[in-house]
Amino acid sequence: MRLSSEFIVNLNSLAHNFNLLKEIAPNNEIIFMVKANAYGHGILDIVYFSFTELKIKRFGCATLGEAIEIRKSLPNLDCELWVFSDVEIQKYKDLYLEYNIVPVLSSLNDLKEIYFEKSFERVPKVIKLNAGMNRLGIAEDEFDSLIDFLKANHVEEIDHLMMHFSQSFIPIKEGDRCHRQYNCFKRFKERLGQNAIKIKETSVSNSGAIEQGLGLEETHIRPGLMLYGPRSVVRKEYWKGIIISSLVAKVLKISKIEKGVPVGYGGQVTSKSGHMVYVNLGYGDGLLTFYSGAEIVYKGLKGKVFGRVNMDLTSIFFEEEPTDLVVGSEFTIWGDGHSDIVQLSEQIKTIPYQLFTAITHRVPRRYIN
Ligand SMILES: *Cc1c(COP(=O)(O)O)cnc(C)c1O
Protein backbone atom coordinates (compact mmCIF):
# COMPACT_ATOMS: atom_id res chain seq x y z
CA MET A 1 0.00 0.00 0.00
CA ARG A 2 1.17 3.51 -0.67
CA LEU A 3 0.83 6.20 1.93
CA SER A 4 0.96 9.19 -0.31
CA SER A 5 -0.91 8.73 -3.53
CA GLU A 6 -4.64 8.29 -3.68
CA PHE A 7 -7.63 7.22 -5.69
CA ILE A 8 -10.17 9.70 -4.37
CA VAL A 9 -13.85 8.92 -4.82
CA ASN A 10 -16.36 11.68 -4.30
CA LEU A 11 -19.66 10.08 -3.28
CA ASN A 12 -21.48 13.39 -3.60
CA SER A 13 -20.62 13.31 -7.28
CA LEU A 14 -22.05 9.81 -7.51
CA ALA A 15 -25.27 11.15 -5.99
CA HIS A 16 -25.20 14.01 -8.50
CA ASN A 17 -24.86 11.56 -11.40
CA PHE A 18 -27.64 9.42 -9.99
CA ASN A 19 -29.99 12.42 -9.87
CA LEU A 20 -29.03 13.36 -13.42
CA LEU A 21 -29.82 9.80 -14.48
CA LYS A 22 -33.22 9.96 -12.77
CA GLU A 23 -33.95 13.06 -14.85
CA ILE A 24 -33.37 11.29 -18.15
CA ALA A 25 -34.87 7.96 -17.06
CA PRO A 26 -37.49 8.86 -14.45
CA ASN A 27 -39.58 5.74 -14.93
CA ASN A 28 -36.94 3.04 -14.90
CA GLU A 29 -35.71 1.00 -11.98
CA ILE A 30 -31.95 0.78 -11.78
CA ILE A 31 -29.66 -2.22 -11.74
CA PHE A 32 -26.35 -0.56 -10.88
CA MET A 33 -23.42 -2.44 -12.39
CA VAL A 34 -20.67 -2.71 -9.78
CA LYS A 35 -18.60 -5.47 -11.34
CA ALA A 36 -14.80 -5.36 -11.27
CA ASN A 37 -14.68 -3.70 -7.85
CA ALA A 38 -17.25 -1.10 -8.91
CA TYR A 39 -15.18 -0.19 -11.95
CA GLY A 40 -12.19 0.14 -9.66
CA HIS A 41 -13.89 2.46 -7.17
CA GLY A 42 -14.26 -0.07 -4.33
CA ILE A 43 -17.28 -2.33 -4.47
CA LEU A 44 -18.19 -2.26 -0.78
CA ASP A 45 -18.19 1.51 -0.32
CA ILE A 46 -20.01 2.08 -3.58
CA VAL A 47 -22.71 -0.49 -2.83
CA TYR A 48 -23.16 0.69 0.75
CA PHE A 49 -23.54 4.33 -0.25
CA SER A 50 -25.79 3.57 -3.22
CA PHE A 51 -28.10 1.39 -1.15
CA THR A 52 -28.33 3.57 1.94
CA GLU A 53 -28.22 7.04 0.37
CA LEU A 54 -29.48 6.59 -3.18
CA LYS A 55 -31.93 3.77 -2.37
CA ILE A 56 -30.67 1.61 -5.21
CA LYS A 57 -31.84 -1.90 -4.40
CA ARG A 58 -30.26 -4.08 -7.06
CA PHE A 59 -26.62 -4.47 -8.07
CA GLY A 60 -24.94 -6.28 -10.94
CA CYS A 61 -21.74 -8.26 -10.40
CA ALA A 62 -19.80 -10.22 -12.98
CA THR A 63 -18.77 -13.08 -10.72
CA LEU A 64 -20.27 -15.01 -7.86
CA GLY A 65 -17.17 -14.21 -5.80
CA GLU A 66 -17.86 -10.48 -6.06
CA ALA A 67 -21.44 -10.95 -4.92
CA ILE A 68 -20.40 -13.13 -1.99
CA GLU A 69 -17.86 -10.51 -0.93
CA ILE A 70 -20.67 -7.96 -0.69
CA ARG A 71 -22.94 -10.30 1.26
CA LYS A 72 -20.24 -11.32 3.70
CA SER A 73 -18.98 -7.79 4.30
CA LEU A 74 -22.37 -6.06 4.37
CA PRO A 75 -24.64 -8.74 5.85
CA ASN A 76 -27.33 -6.29 6.94
CA LEU A 77 -27.78 -4.70 3.53
CA ASP A 78 -31.04 -5.98 2.14
CA CYS A 79 -30.00 -5.53 -1.49
CA GLU A 80 -30.42 -7.81 -4.46
CA LEU A 81 -27.23 -9.11 -6.02
CA TRP A 82 -27.19 -10.48 -9.54
CA VAL A 83 -24.34 -12.35 -11.20
CA PHE A 84 -24.03 -11.70 -14.91
CA SER A 85 -21.13 -13.45 -16.54
CA ASP A 86 -19.15 -15.99 -14.56
CA VAL A 87 -22.30 -17.67 -13.30
CA GLU A 88 -21.10 -21.28 -12.80
CA ILE A 89 -24.52 -22.36 -11.72
CA GLN A 90 -23.81 -26.11 -12.05
CA LYS A 91 -20.89 -25.85 -9.68
CA TYR A 92 -22.12 -23.41 -7.05
CA LYS A 93 -25.87 -23.88 -6.62
CA ASP A 94 -25.47 -24.04 -2.85
CA LEU A 95 -23.61 -20.76 -2.67
CA TYR A 96 -26.34 -18.93 -4.61
CA LEU A 97 -28.88 -20.18 -2.11
CA GLU A 98 -26.73 -19.67 0.98
CA TYR A 99 -25.94 -16.05 0.11
CA ASN A 100 -29.22 -15.20 -1.56
CA ILE A 101 -27.71 -14.30 -4.92
CA VAL A 102 -29.48 -14.34 -8.28
CA PRO A 103 -27.81 -15.98 -11.29
CA VAL A 104 -28.51 -14.51 -14.72
CA LEU A 105 -29.33 -17.53 -16.87
CA SER A 106 -27.49 -17.28 -20.16
CA SER A 107 -27.96 -20.70 -21.70
CA LEU A 108 -30.57 -23.42 -21.98
CA ASN A 109 -28.34 -25.57 -19.80
CA ASP A 110 -28.37 -22.93 -17.04
CA LEU A 111 -32.15 -22.87 -17.25
CA LYS A 112 -32.55 -26.61 -17.06
CA GLU A 113 -30.21 -26.73 -14.11
CA ILE A 114 -32.33 -24.68 -11.71
CA TYR A 115 -35.66 -23.77 -13.23
CA PHE A 116 -37.62 -26.45 -11.50
CA GLU A 117 -35.47 -27.18 -8.53
CA LYS A 118 -37.52 -26.85 -5.41
CA SER A 119 -34.72 -25.07 -3.60
CA PHE A 120 -34.64 -22.38 -6.31
CA GLU A 121 -38.38 -21.86 -6.22
CA ARG A 122 -38.13 -18.41 -4.72
CA VAL A 123 -35.10 -17.27 -6.68
CA PRO A 124 -36.18 -14.89 -9.50
CA LYS A 125 -35.75 -16.41 -12.94
CA VAL A 126 -33.66 -14.03 -15.01
CA ILE A 127 -33.05 -14.90 -18.65
CA LYS A 128 -30.50 -13.24 -20.90
CA LEU A 129 -30.99 -13.36 -24.65
CA ASN A 130 -28.31 -13.01 -27.27
CA ALA A 131 -29.93 -10.66 -29.75
CA GLY A 132 -26.79 -10.07 -31.80
CA MET A 133 -24.02 -9.36 -29.30
CA ASN A 134 -22.99 -12.98 -29.90
CA ARG A 135 -21.29 -13.36 -26.59
CA LEU A 136 -23.41 -14.68 -23.71
CA GLY A 137 -27.13 -15.33 -23.77
CA ILE A 138 -29.58 -17.61 -25.50
CA ALA A 139 -29.23 -17.04 -29.24
CA GLU A 140 -31.92 -16.46 -31.82
CA ASP A 141 -31.54 -19.94 -33.29
CA GLU A 142 -32.33 -21.35 -29.84
CA PHE A 143 -35.45 -19.24 -29.31
CA ASP A 144 -37.70 -22.09 -30.52
CA SER A 145 -36.12 -24.48 -28.03
CA LEU A 146 -36.48 -21.90 -25.28
CA ILE A 147 -40.18 -21.43 -25.99
CA ASP A 148 -40.64 -25.21 -26.18
CA PHE A 149 -38.87 -25.61 -22.85
CA LEU A 150 -41.02 -22.97 -21.15
CA LYS A 151 -44.25 -24.34 -22.59
CA ALA A 152 -43.43 -27.96 -21.85
CA ASN A 153 -42.86 -26.96 -18.24
CA HIS A 154 -45.98 -24.79 -17.97
CA VAL A 155 -44.06 -21.61 -17.21
CA GLU A 156 -46.56 -18.76 -17.03
CA GLU A 157 -44.25 -15.95 -16.11
CA ILE A 158 -40.60 -14.96 -16.46
CA ASP A 159 -39.27 -12.63 -13.78
CA HIS A 160 -36.81 -10.71 -15.91
CA LEU A 161 -35.81 -10.84 -19.55
CA MET A 162 -32.75 -8.97 -20.83
CA MET A 163 -30.29 -8.47 -23.65
CA HIS A 164 -27.10 -6.43 -24.06
CA PHE A 165 -26.21 -3.91 -26.80
CA SER A 166 -22.94 -4.41 -28.63
CA GLN A 167 -22.35 -0.87 -29.88
CA SER A 168 -24.44 1.67 -28.07
CA PHE A 169 -21.23 3.69 -27.62
CA ILE A 170 -21.56 5.08 -31.15
CA PRO A 171 -24.37 7.42 -32.20
CA ILE A 172 -27.41 5.32 -33.04
CA LYS A 173 -29.53 5.67 -36.12
CA GLU A 174 -32.52 3.87 -37.58
CA GLY A 175 -31.73 0.43 -38.95
CA ASP A 176 -28.29 0.09 -37.33
CA ARG A 177 -27.04 -2.83 -35.28
CA CYS A 178 -28.52 -1.49 -32.03
CA HIS A 179 -31.96 -1.28 -33.58
CA ARG A 180 -31.64 -4.71 -35.15
CA GLN A 181 -30.71 -6.16 -31.77
CA TYR A 182 -33.55 -4.38 -30.08
CA ASN A 183 -36.04 -5.55 -32.71
CA CYS A 184 -34.87 -9.11 -32.21
CA PHE A 185 -35.54 -8.70 -28.48
CA LYS A 186 -38.99 -7.25 -29.11
CA ARG A 187 -39.87 -10.08 -31.49
CA PHE A 188 -39.03 -12.58 -28.80
CA LYS A 189 -41.16 -10.70 -26.27
CA GLU A 190 -44.06 -10.87 -28.71
CA ARG A 191 -43.62 -14.59 -29.12
CA LEU A 192 -43.78 -15.03 -25.37
CA GLY A 193 -47.02 -13.04 -25.42
CA GLN A 194 -48.44 -15.24 -28.16
CA ASN A 195 -47.68 -18.23 -25.97
CA ALA A 196 -49.36 -16.64 -22.95
CA ILE A 197 -46.10 -16.32 -21.04
CA LYS A 198 -45.95 -13.07 -19.07
CA ILE A 199 -42.80 -11.08 -18.40
CA LYS A 200 -42.58 -9.18 -15.15
CA GLU A 201 -39.49 -7.08 -15.86
CA THR A 202 -37.20 -6.33 -18.77
CA SER A 203 -33.93 -4.48 -19.34
CA VAL A 204 -31.72 -3.78 -22.32
CA SER A 205 -29.91 -0.49 -21.78
CA ASN A 206 -26.33 0.06 -20.69
CA SER A 207 -24.89 3.57 -20.36
CA GLY A 208 -24.46 4.28 -24.08
CA ALA A 209 -28.05 3.28 -24.78
CA ILE A 210 -29.42 5.26 -21.82
CA GLU A 211 -27.53 8.37 -22.94
CA GLN A 212 -29.24 8.07 -26.30
CA GLY A 213 -32.65 7.24 -24.88
CA LEU A 214 -32.69 3.73 -26.29
CA GLY A 215 -34.58 1.03 -24.42
CA LEU A 216 -36.15 3.28 -21.80
CA GLU A 217 -39.57 1.76 -22.40
CA GLU A 218 -38.37 -1.37 -20.58
CA THR A 219 -38.96 -1.53 -16.82
CA HIS A 220 -35.27 -1.51 -15.84
CA ILE A 221 -31.97 -0.03 -16.99
CA ARG A 222 -28.44 -1.29 -16.26
CA PRO A 223 -26.09 1.70 -16.02
CA GLY A 224 -22.45 1.21 -15.16
CA LEU A 225 -19.96 3.69 -16.57
CA MET A 226 -22.23 6.76 -16.60
CA LEU A 227 -22.77 6.70 -12.84
CA TYR A 228 -18.98 6.81 -12.37
CA GLY A 229 -19.06 9.90 -14.59
CA PRO A 230 -17.71 9.35 -18.10
CA ARG A 231 -19.85 9.58 -21.18
CA SER A 232 -19.97 6.49 -23.38
CA VAL A 233 -20.63 8.15 -26.69
CA VAL A 234 -17.35 9.94 -27.22
CA ARG A 235 -17.40 13.38 -28.87
CA LYS A 236 -21.11 13.73 -28.17
CA GLU A 237 -22.39 15.59 -25.17
CA TYR A 238 -25.39 13.43 -24.43
CA TRP A 239 -24.29 12.73 -20.87
CA LYS A 240 -22.96 15.40 -18.53
CA GLY A 241 -22.01 13.34 -15.53
CA ILE A 242 -19.21 14.37 -13.18
CA ILE A 243 -16.19 12.05 -13.01
CA ILE A 244 -16.54 10.81 -9.44
CA SER A 245 -12.90 9.91 -8.92
CA SER A 246 -9.47 11.40 -9.29
CA LEU A 247 -6.07 9.79 -9.37
CA VAL A 248 -3.61 11.82 -7.37
CA ALA A 249 0.14 11.19 -7.19
CA LYS A 250 2.87 12.93 -5.20
CA VAL A 251 5.92 14.57 -6.73
CA LEU A 252 9.11 12.67 -5.85
CA LYS A 253 11.58 14.90 -7.61
CA ILE A 254 11.83 17.71 -10.16
CA SER A 255 14.92 18.20 -12.28
CA LYS A 256 16.07 20.48 -15.01
CA ILE A 257 16.88 18.44 -18.11
CA GLU A 258 19.14 19.57 -20.94
CA LYS A 259 18.24 18.59 -24.46
CA GLY A 260 19.91 15.31 -25.46
CA VAL A 261 20.45 13.92 -21.95
CA PRO A 262 19.21 10.32 -21.65
CA VAL A 263 16.56 9.73 -18.97
CA GLY A 264 15.37 6.46 -17.45
CA TYR A 265 15.05 2.95 -18.88
CA GLY A 266 16.12 2.87 -22.49
CA GLY A 267 17.80 6.24 -22.13
CA GLN A 268 15.32 8.18 -24.16
CA VAL A 269 16.35 11.78 -24.74
CA THR A 270 14.25 14.91 -24.80
CA SER A 271 14.24 16.95 -27.99
CA LYS A 272 14.13 20.16 -26.00
CA SER A 273 15.42 21.35 -22.65
CA GLY A 274 12.88 21.52 -19.88
CA HIS A 275 11.79 20.11 -16.55
CA MET A 276 11.20 16.51 -15.57
CA VAL A 277 8.67 15.83 -12.84
CA TYR A 278 8.84 12.37 -11.29
CA VAL A 279 5.62 11.17 -9.65
CA ASN A 280 5.04 8.17 -7.43
CA LEU A 281 2.68 6.15 -9.58
CA GLY A 282 3.77 3.49 -12.06
CA TYR A 283 2.35 0.45 -13.75
CA GLY A 284 2.45 -1.36 -10.41
CA ASP A 285 -0.26 1.09 -9.38
CA GLY A 286 -2.21 0.77 -12.59
CA LEU A 287 -0.68 3.69 -14.46
CA LEU A 288 -0.19 1.33 -17.36
CA THR A 289 2.67 1.52 -19.84
CA PHE A 290 0.42 2.83 -22.56
CA TYR A 291 0.21 6.16 -20.71
CA SER A 292 3.59 6.78 -22.37
CA GLY A 293 3.38 9.92 -24.49
CA ALA A 294 0.04 11.03 -23.06
CA GLU A 295 -0.49 14.73 -22.55
CA ILE A 296 -1.21 15.64 -18.95
CA VAL A 297 -2.11 19.20 -18.12
CA TYR A 298 -1.07 20.77 -14.84
CA LYS A 299 -2.61 24.18 -14.11
CA GLY A 300 -2.68 25.06 -17.79
CA LEU A 301 0.87 23.80 -18.42
CA LYS A 302 1.12 20.96 -20.89
CA GLY A 303 3.17 18.00 -19.73
CA LYS A 304 3.88 14.75 -21.50
CA VAL A 305 4.42 11.34 -19.95
CA PHE A 306 8.03 10.81 -20.89
CA GLY A 307 9.76 7.58 -21.87
CA ARG A 308 8.70 4.32 -20.34
CA VAL A 309 6.33 4.22 -17.40
CA ASN A 310 8.18 2.42 -14.57
CA MET A 311 6.77 0.01 -12.03
CA ASP A 312 6.86 2.55 -9.22
CA LEU A 313 7.18 5.95 -10.83
CA THR A 314 6.57 7.94 -13.96
CA SER A 315 8.34 10.94 -15.45
CA ILE A 316 6.40 13.81 -16.92
CA PHE A 317 8.20 16.34 -19.10
CA PHE A 318 7.35 20.05 -19.10
CA GLU A 319 8.97 22.52 -21.44
CA GLU A 320 7.93 25.41 -19.26
CA GLU A 321 8.85 25.28 -15.61
CA PRO A 322 5.88 24.23 -13.47
CA THR A 323 6.72 26.76 -10.80
CA ASP A 324 3.92 25.71 -8.43
CA LEU A 325 5.27 22.19 -8.09
CA VAL A 326 7.74 21.22 -5.40
CA VAL A 327 8.79 17.86 -4.02
CA GLY A 328 5.79 16.50 -2.13
CA SER A 329 3.20 18.43 -4.16
CA GLU A 330 0.07 16.62 -5.26
CA PHE A 331 -0.11 15.88 -8.95
CA THR A 332 -3.45 14.85 -10.40
CA ILE A 333 -3.25 12.43 -13.32
CA TRP A 334 -6.98 12.66 -14.07
CA GLY A 335 -10.15 13.92 -12.47
CA ASP A 336 -11.11 16.80 -10.21
CA GLY A 337 -11.00 19.42 -12.97
CA HIS A 338 -7.58 18.32 -14.26
CA SER A 339 -7.11 16.00 -17.25
CA ASP A 340 -10.40 14.60 -18.54
CA ILE A 341 -10.39 10.81 -18.36
CA VAL A 342 -12.42 10.43 -21.55
CA GLN A 343 -9.99 12.56 -23.59
CA LEU A 344 -7.03 10.92 -21.90
CA SER A 345 -8.26 7.43 -22.73
CA GLU A 346 -8.93 8.43 -26.33
CA GLN A 347 -5.40 9.80 -26.59
CA ILE A 348 -3.85 6.56 -25.44
CA LYS A 349 -6.29 4.42 -27.42
CA THR A 350 -8.14 2.83 -24.56
CA ILE A 351 -11.41 3.31 -22.70
CA PRO A 352 -12.17 4.90 -19.30
CA TYR A 353 -13.33 1.48 -18.04
CA GLN A 354 -9.77 0.25 -18.35
CA LEU A 355 -8.14 3.31 -16.77
CA PHE A 356 -10.46 2.94 -13.76
CA THR A 357 -10.19 -0.81 -13.27
CA ALA A 358 -6.42 -0.82 -13.78
CA ILE A 359 -5.78 1.01 -10.49
CA THR A 360 -4.31 -1.58 -8.18
CA HIS A 361 -4.66 -2.16 -4.45
CA ARG A 362 -1.41 -0.37 -3.81
CA VAL A 363 -3.26 2.91 -4.26
CA PRO A 364 -5.52 3.58 -1.28
CA ARG A 365 -9.10 4.60 -2.02
CA ARG A 366 -10.35 7.57 -0.08
CA TYR A 367 -14.01 8.51 0.02
CA ILE A 368 -15.37 12.02 0.27
CA ASN A 369 -18.95 12.45 1.36
C1 LIG B 1 -21.28 -4.05 -17.70
C2 LIG B 1 -22.65 -4.25 -18.13
C3 LIG B 1 -23.56 -3.17 -18.17
C4 LIG B 1 -23.13 -1.74 -17.91
O1 LIG B 1 -22.41 -1.26 -19.01
P1 LIG B 1 -21.91 0.26 -19.03
O2 LIG B 1 -21.43 0.46 -20.40
O3 LIG B 1 -20.83 0.37 -18.02
O4 LIG B 1 -23.09 1.07 -18.67
C5 LIG B 1 -24.88 -3.45 -18.47
N1 LIG B 1 -25.28 -4.70 -18.74
C6 LIG B 1 -24.44 -5.76 -18.74
C7 LIG B 1 -24.96 -7.11 -19.05
C8 LIG B 1 -23.10 -5.56 -18.44
O5 LIG B 1 -22.27 -6.60 -18.45
Side-chain angles (χ1 to χ4, degrees), residues 15 30 33 68 73 79 82 113 146 158 183 190 192 201 287 353-354:
I30 289 172
M33 301 307 290
I68 290 175
S73 307
C79 59
W82 287 18
E113 197 69 37
L146 174 54
I158 291 171
N183 288 336
E190 267 175 36
L192 288 178
E201 303 172 354
L287 200 91
Y353 302 83
Q354 178 162 234

Coordinates of all heavy atoms in Angstrom, one line a residue, residues 15 30 33 68 73 79 82 113 146 158 183 190 192 201 287 353-354:
A15 N -23.9 10.8 -6.2 CA -25.3 11.2 -6.0 C -25.7 12.1 -7.1 O -26.9 12.0 -7.6 CB -25.4 11.8 -4.6
I30 N -33.4 0.9 -11.4 CA -31.9 0.8 -11.8 C -31.3 -0.5 -11.3 O -31.5 -0.9 -10.1 CB -31.2 2.0 -11.2 CG1 -31.6 3.2 -12.0 CG2 -29.7 1.8 -11.2 CD1 -31.1 4.5 -11.4
M33 N -24.5 -1.5 -12.1 CA -23.4 -2.4 -12.4 C -22.2 -2.1 -11.6 O -21.6 -1.0 -11.7 CB -23.1 -2.5 -13.9 CG -24.3 -2.8 -14.8 SD -25.1 -4.4 -14.3 CE -23.9 -5.6 -14.8
I68 N -20.6 -12.6 -3.3 CA -20.4 -13.1 -2.0 C -19.6 -12.2 -1.1 O -19.9 -12.0 0.1 CB -19.7 -14.5 -2.1 CG1 -20.7 -15.5 -2.7 CG2 -19.2 -15.0 -0.7 CD1 -20.1 -16.9 -2.9
S73 N -19.5 -9.0 3.7 CA -19.0 -7.8 4.3 C -20.1 -6.9 4.7 O -19.9 -6.1 5.6 CB -18.1 -7.0 3.3 OG -17.1 -7.9 2.9
C79 N -30.0 -5.8 0.0 CA -30.0 -5.5 -1.5 C -30.0 -6.8 -2.3 O -29.7 -7.9 -1.8 CB -28.8 -4.7 -1.8 SG -27.2 -5.6 -1.5
W82 N -27.1 -9.6 -8.4 CA -27.2 -10.5 -9.5 C -25.8 -10.8 -10.1 O -25.0 -9.9 -10.1 CB -28.0 -9.8 -10.6 CG -29.5 -9.7 -10.3 CD1 -30.1 -9.9 -9.1 CD2 -30.6 -9.5 -11.2 NE1 -31.4 -9.8 -9.2 CE2 -31.8 -9.5 -10.5 CE3 -30.6 -9.2 -12.6 CZ2 -33.0 -9.3 -11.1 CZ3 -31.9 -9.0 -13.2 CH2 -33.0 -9.0 -12.4
E113 N -30.9 -26.4 -15.4 CA -30.2 -26.7 -14.1 C -31.1 -26.3 -12.9 O -31.1 -27.1 -11.9 CB -28.9 -26.0 -14.1 CG -27.9 -26.5 -13.1 CD -27.3 -27.9 -13.4 OE1 -27.1 -28.2 -14.6 OE2 -27.2 -28.6 -12.4
L146 N -36.2 -22.6 -26.5 CA -36.5 -21.9 -25.3 C -38.0 -21.8 -25.1 O -38.5 -22.2 -24.0 CB -35.9 -20.5 -25.3 CG -36.2 -19.6 -24.1 CD1 -35.9 -20.2 -22.8 CD2 -35.4 -18.2 -24.2
I158 N -42.0 -15.1 -16.6 CA -40.6 -15.0 -16.5 C -40.4 -13.7 -15.6 O -41.0 -12.7 -15.8 CB -39.9 -14.8 -17.8 CG1 -40.0 -16.1 -18.6 CG2 -38.5 -14.4 -17.7 CD1 -39.5 -16.0 -20.1
N183 N -34.9 -5.0 -32.0 CA -36.0 -5.6 -32.7 C -36.1 -7.0 -32.5 O -37.2 -7.6 -32.3 CB -36.0 -5.3 -34.2 CG -36.3 -3.8 -34.5 OD1 -37.0 -3.1 -33.7 ND2 -35.9 -3.3 -35.6
E190 N -42.8 -10.6 -28.1 CA -44.1 -10.9 -28.7 C -44.4 -12.4 -28.7 O -45.5 -12.8 -28.5 CB -44.1 -10.4 -30.2 CG -44.6 -9.0 -30.3 CD -44.5 -8.5 -31.7 OE1 -44.6 -9.3 -32.7 OE2 -44.1 -7.3 -31.9
L192 N -43.4 -14.6 -26.7 CA -43.8 -15.0 -25.4 C -45.2 -14.7 -25.1 O -46.0 -15.5 -24.6 CB -42.9 -14.4 -24.3 CG -41.5 -14.9 -24.2 CD1 -40.7 -14.1 -23.1 CD2 -41.4 -16.4 -23.9
E201 N -40.4 -8.2 -15.7 CA -39.5 -7.1 -15.9 C -38.6 -7.3 -17.1 O -38.4 -8.5 -17.4 CB -38.5 -7.0 -14.7 CG -39.2 -6.8 -13.3 CD -38.2 -6.9 -12.2 OE1 -37.0 -7.3 -12.4 OE2 -38.6 -6.7 -11.0
L287 N -1.0 2.7 -13.4 CA -0.7 3.7 -14.5 C 0.1 2.9 -15.6 O 1.3 2.9 -15.6 CB 0.2 4.8 -13.9 CG 0.1 6.1 -14.7 CD1 -1.0 7.0 -14.1 CD2 1.4 6.8 -14.6
Y353 N -13.1 2.7 -18.8 CA -13.3 1.5 -18.0 C -12.0 0.9 -17.6 O -11.8 0.5 -16.5 CB -14.0 0.4 -18.9 CG -15.4 0.7 -19.4 CD1 -15.5 1.4 -20.6 CD2 -16.5 0.2 -18.8 CE1 -16.7 1.6 -21.2 CE2 -17.8 0.5 -19.4 CZ -17.9 1.2 -20.6 OH -19.1 1.4 -21.1
Q354 N -11.1 0.9 -18.6 CA -9.8 0.3 -18.3 C -8.9 1.1 -17.4 O -8.2 0.6 -16.6 CB -9.0 -0.1 -19.6 CG -7.7 -0.7 -19.3 CD -7.0 -1.4 -20.5 OE1 -6.7 -2.6 -20.4 NE2 -6.9 -0.8 -21.6

